[in-house]
Amino acid sequence: MTSSIAFKSFTGLRHSSAEPPKLHSQLHNISPPNYCQRHLQITAGISSPKLQNRNLRVAVIGGGPAGGAAAETLAKGGIETYLIERKLDNCKPCGGAIPLCMVGEFDLPLDIIDRKVTKMKMISPSNIAVDIGQTLKPHEYIGMVRREVLDSYLRERAASNGANVINGLFLKMDLPKGGKGSETAPYVLHYTEYNGKVGGAGQKKTLEVDAVIGADGANSRVAKSIGAGDYDYAIAFQERIRIPDDKMVYYENLAEMYVGDDVSPDFYGWVFPKCDHVAVGTGTVTHKGDIKKFQLATRNRAKDKILGGKIIRVEAHPIPEHPRPRRLSDRVALVGDAAGYVTKCSGEGIYFAAKSGRMCAEAIVEGSGNGKRMVDESDLRKYLEKWDKTYWPTYKVLDVLQKVFYRSNPAREAFVEMCADEYVQKMTFDSYLYKKVVPGNPLDDLKLAFNTIGSLVRANALRKEMNKLSV
Amino acid sequence: MSISMSFFSPPPPTHLLISFSSKPHFTDKTIFFLRPANPLLLSAPKVSTDNGAGISAAIEEPKAEQKVAEPAGSAPEGEESSLGSNGAVADAGVKLESKFVDPRWIGGTWDLTQFQKDGSTDWDAVIDAEVRRRKWLEGNPESSSNDDPVVFDTSIIPWWAWIKRFHLPEAERLNGRAAMIGFFMAYVVDSLTGVGLVDQMNNFFCKTLLFIAVAGVLLIRKNEDIETLKKLLDETTFYDKQWQATWQDETRSSSTAE
């Protein structure tokens, strides 16, 4: 029944724009009934004025996964889209891991994926190593991508759908002044355009748009312009190391996670395989000043496996820990890292950035009736509502996991011990790869709870004995 | 590595023993263990070629051996001095690479056959050994290696060993506290209201007091626990509040807009 409703509404859409039919095959996280019902009420719900002689103009600031996905959806929806990105060949420092569902949902070509990680090793403070990934089916994997490849692919797809990609640096934005007529007054964006002809410093330009999507990352200027507030953030520090070929074989499709106080007091250290080198890094929220020390410790822990490697690049970037206090203001919405949509515990952000960009763009497309009407804040709020409803369980569960298992060394030991359990592995991968928190078999859940408590108790008991030793 | 080998091959026990200022009576055992320690040392490939680090690495190994050989009682002090020397000698950035070695630690796990006492495994000794290993690693984080992975799992130690060693003493303490509080409160309530113990138990208010007393004894074991509990409570809802922050705007703005 749901599929027939979906079909009806999409034939309706074809009148106004070339909407490809495959949108309705996205089963995973967009709930089709919700989407379609709203669509059917479209003429009744929107009270905004119809735009005369033009389509809605929306600017997307930032051309990463969030910006690229948003621009594509907007352009497909018939909206006049401007994508402003300051560095088109930007090689972003990033873990680079994308879940399986992203490949399907965003129709990513398989050659974008450098490596398919099918095994992970978790290593506890006392070097107890646990292999996870035995429960993965043959077609399941974690994709490792190069950000410059992924970002430019999404941007090009947006451009081919009709978005105007501008190579420029967003400077500031003039908000429409309050009072009469402010619902339709445009936002004036000031940016510096870089193009080959002018060269060097670039040209100052302005652009008038009706709505703005801020996808400009952790240090978002759009967020500053709307007074979105600050968030706590972690510093992730990473070194790209080219290791000898025989050592690279070990990391063929395996990623490692190191936990321990030496590596990070509130996060983890990692070794992720990239196209022809590995990325060794760590992160922290509370002890940012000690990040170099943590990085040395991470390299020390992986020493045997990266011996003989040469550091080819050092990079660091901030990772938001929680959403900004205001993710929306009037007709400006934040998505991706700019909004703070990075999960705790794993620090995953690429998928959520792309998904939120798409969701926000969809809300604008809907609210404007494919660009025919002006949007207002309530239309954009629908994106926030949908986002919070769909992903709140995921974020909360990861937050709880971080609070419980990243607290102290005994907790981390228990964490690694728990990862050895097959049920845990299956649950973890299912929820990571498909971004759904699925309640498992209650009996198994009970056994899991029991085992978790047992592990935590044992590890803490050992810790108490350890403290006695030093006294 | 060749530089450090020159320190090891003619074993200079006198040099090293002089530095053991804290534990002179370990000397005879040290000499005994220094010989077997050397082959293990030579196989450890990661000893720094820096002279200072080479000497201190040599000091560490015998100490590691000695701390394993001694019974649990005197080991704490041996542990302390080895950790102290680590802290003193380790330069900024130079990580001393000496692996955790113990004759009972074989193949990345504890060899239970070496923990036999009176025919059955001495689980307390296993726990002690693991505690020492973790303590050592906390002070000297080691590289995890694929050639000799650590596969020890604390769940091989049976549940009753954990209970006997950790739960029972704590349970005794808490039950003692509960009994003292219970007796005292029963007496006070009886003397104030004349209601005997059996009648107190039938009263709802007294049952509530009993519940609070038991919960208090269980949750608040140290003075710091009160603060800890308050922080925990805040923590459980903090993340939710961060997510809800954007919605507080909506109620304000929607009331003005519409």
Side-chain angles (χ1 to χ4, degrees), chain B residues 241-255:
Chain B
K241 287 203 202 97
Q242 288 172 331
W243 274 77
Q244 301 303 336
T246 200
W247 294 102
Q248 275 141 21
D249 277 345
E250 191 206 14
T251 42
R252 263 185 278 125
S253 63
S254 57
S255 56

Side-chain angles (χ1 to χ4, degrees), chain A residues 346-369:
Chain A
S346 59
E348 191 198 343
I350 302 182
Y351 173 76
F352 293 103
K355 204 63 205 262
S356 61
R358 176 178 278 191
M359 250 191 215
C360 184
E362 278 166 359
I364 294 182
V365 167
E366 242 186 70
S368 69

Side-chain angles (χ1 to χ4, degrees), chain A residues 157-170:
Chain A
R157 214 164 61 177
S160 63
N161 276 296
N164 304 300
V165 178
I166 301 174
N167 183 3
L169 173 64
F170 171 75

Side-chain angles (χ1 to χ4, degrees), chain A residues 121 123 125-130 232 250 256 258 261-262 296-297 299-305 321-328 340-344 376-378 381-382 384-388 391-392 395-396 399 403 407 409-410 413 417 420 455 457-459 461-471, chain B residues 45-46 72 75-77 79-80 83 92-93 95-97 99 105 126-128 130-138 140-157 162 165-166 170 228 232 235-254 258:
Chain A
K121 218 182 192 70
I123 298 161
S126 63
N127 278 336
I128 295 176
V130 162
D232 300 319
Y250 169 69
E256 286 181 327
Y258 293 88
D261 269 332
D262 54 331
L296 272 171
R299 266 199 275 140
N300 183 39
R301 292 262 236 127
K303 203 177 182 79
D304 275 355
K305 299 170 219 165
E321 285 290 296
H322 62 85
R324 288 190 197 262
R326 289 179 87 193
R327 292 176 262 156
L328 187 61
Y341 290 146
V342 178
T343 61
K344 292 217 163 169
D376 66 7
E377 182 164 335
S378 61
R381 283 229 169 243
K382 293 203 177 83
L384 278 189
E385 218 179 274
K386 189 166 172 200
W387 178 261
D388 283 5
Y391 291 111
W392 168 242
Y395 281 94
K396 184 64 184 174
D399 176 55
K403 287 208 177 80
R407 269 204 125 76
N409 268 357
E413 296 278 354
E417 247 181 49
S455 282
V457 164
R458 287 196 295 264
L462 285 179
R463 155 59 63 97
K464 282 207 203 91
E465 285 296 302
M466 282 161 68
N467 289 337
K468 280 203 218 134
L469 265 190
S470 70
V471 170
Chain B
K46 300 176 288 301
E77 290 139 319
E79 197 76 40
E80 163 121 85
L83 292 172
K95 276 273 173 198
L96 300 172
E97 307 292 352
K99 284 178 83 65
W105 177 258
V126 178
I127 292 180
D128 282 330
E130 179 63 12
V131 164
R132 247 178 266 128
R133 185 183 77 93
R134 289 194 184 184
K135 187 80 190 177
W136 167 258
L137 283 176
E138 238 180 41
N140 315 281
E142 246 171 50
S143 154
S144 92
S145 140
N146 289 332
D147 303 318
D148 47 2
V150 174
V151 292
F152 176 68
D153 185 353
T154 54
S155 52
I156 61 168
I157 302 173
W162 295 98
R165 178 154 173 171
F166 297 107
E170 185 75 8
T228 317
L232 272 178
E235 253 185 40
T236 47
T237 52
F238 187 56
Y239 195 54
D240 309 39
K241 287 203 202 97
Q242 288 172 331
W243 274 77
Q244 301 303 336
T246 200
W247 294 102
Q248 275 141 21
D249 277 345
E250 191 206 14
T251 42
R252 263 185 278 125
S253 63
S254 57
E258 255 87 277

Side-chain angles (χ1 to χ4, degrees), chain B residues 12-21 23-24 26-28 30-31:
Chain B
T14 44
H15 284 311
L16 298 167
L17 292 176
I18 290 169
S19 63
F20 289 175
S21 47
K23 289 286 154 227
F26 286 163
T27 53
D28 43 333
T30 318
I31 300 173

Side-chain angles (χ1 to χ4, degrees), chain A residues 152-443:
Chain A
S152 67
Y153 173 76
L154 290 174
R155 275 197 303 266
E156 267 152 34
R157 214 164 61 177
S160 63
N161 276 296
N164 304 300
V165 178
I166 301 174
N167 183 3
L169 173 64
F170 171 75
L171 298 169
K172 64 186 175 81
M173 173 163 72
D174 295 333
L175 308 171
K177 306 200 185 354
K180 197 164 160 355
S182 69
E183 298 90 38
T184 51
Y187 286 86
V188 182
L189 308 175
H190 297 262
Y191 66 98
T192 311
E193 178 162 5
Y194 304 124
N195 62 29
K197 291 172 273 194
V198 179
Q203 237 180 349
K204 279 209 160 43
K205 286 198 162 170
T206 62
L207 176 67
E208 278 193 3
V209 290
D210 303 307
V212 179
I213 296 185
D216 45 347
N219 300 316
S220 170
R221 276 193 192 170
V222 175
K224 220 176 0 194
S225 337
I226 63 169
D230 275 326
Y231 46 35
D232 300 319
Y233 63 95
I235 283 283
F237 187 91
Q238 179 168 266
E239 286 165 342
R240 297 187 188 239
I241 300 182
R242 185 159 285 135
I243 57 180
D245 285 335
D246 53 331
K247 295 213 186 279
M248 198 65 204
V249 170
Y250 169 69
Y251 287 111
E252 183 71 37
N253 48 14
L254 179 137
E256 286 181 327
M257 238 177 87
Y258 293 88
V259 286
D261 269 332
D262 54 331
V263 161
S264 168
D266 51 6
F267 205 59
Y268 60 90
W270 63 83
V271 178
F272 288 161
K274 301 259 177 214
C275 45
D276 59 353
H277 56 276
V278 291
V280 178
T282 179
T284 174
V285 181
T286 51
H287 289 73
K288 295 191 182 73
D290 293 329
I291 190 75
K292 292 264 174 72
K293 190 174 79 161
F294 297 142
Q295 176 67 12
L296 272 171
T298 312
R299 266 199 275 140
N300 183 39
R301 292 262 236 127
K303 203 177 182 79
D304 275 355
K305 299 170 219 165
I306 59 173
L307 205 56
K310 218 177 343 174
I311 299 179
I312 56 178
R313 202 186 150 101
V314 177
E315 46 198 21
H317 60 287
I319 300 182
E321 285 290 296
H322 62 85
R324 288 190 197 262
R326 289 179 87 193
R327 292 176 262 156
L328 187 61
S329 170
D330 208 9
R331 285 169 276 140
V332 182
L334 297 174
V335 295
D337 272 14
Y341 290 146
V342 178
T343 61
K344 292 217 163 169
C345 196
S346 59
E348 191 198 343
I350 302 182
Y351 173 76
F352 293 103
K355 204 63 205 262
S356 61
R358 176 178 278 191
M359 250 191 215
C360 184
E362 278 166 359
I364 294 182
V365 167
E366 242 186 70
S368 69
N370 290 82
K372 300 284 173 263
R373 310 184 115 78
M374 182 58 89
V375 287
D376 66 7
E377 182 164 335
S378 61
D379 298 313
L380 272 79
R381 283 229 169 243
K382 293 203 177 83
Y383 130 69
L384 278 189
E385 218 179 274
K386 189 166 172 200
W387 178 261
D388 283 5
K389 199 168 70 146
T390 319
Y391 291 111
W392 168 242
T394 308
Y395 281 94
K396 184 64 184 174
V397 165
L398 287 169
D399 176 55
V400 170
L401 285 180
Q402 165 145 331
K403 287 208 177 80
V404 172
F405 288 117
Y406 285 8
R407 269 204 125 76
S408 59
N409 268 357
R412 295 182 191 114
E413 296 278 354
F415 177 54
V416 174
E417 247 181 49
M418 290 313 303
C419 285
D421 182 76
E422 258 201 34
Y423 181 68
V424 170
Q425 290 183 29
K426 187 163 124 4
M427 293 272 94
T428 309
F429 273 116
D430 275 352
S431 54
Y432 176 83
L433 291 175
Y434 303 111
K435 290 293 169 274
K436 278 198 197 162
V437 179
V438 191
N441 175 358
L443 213 60

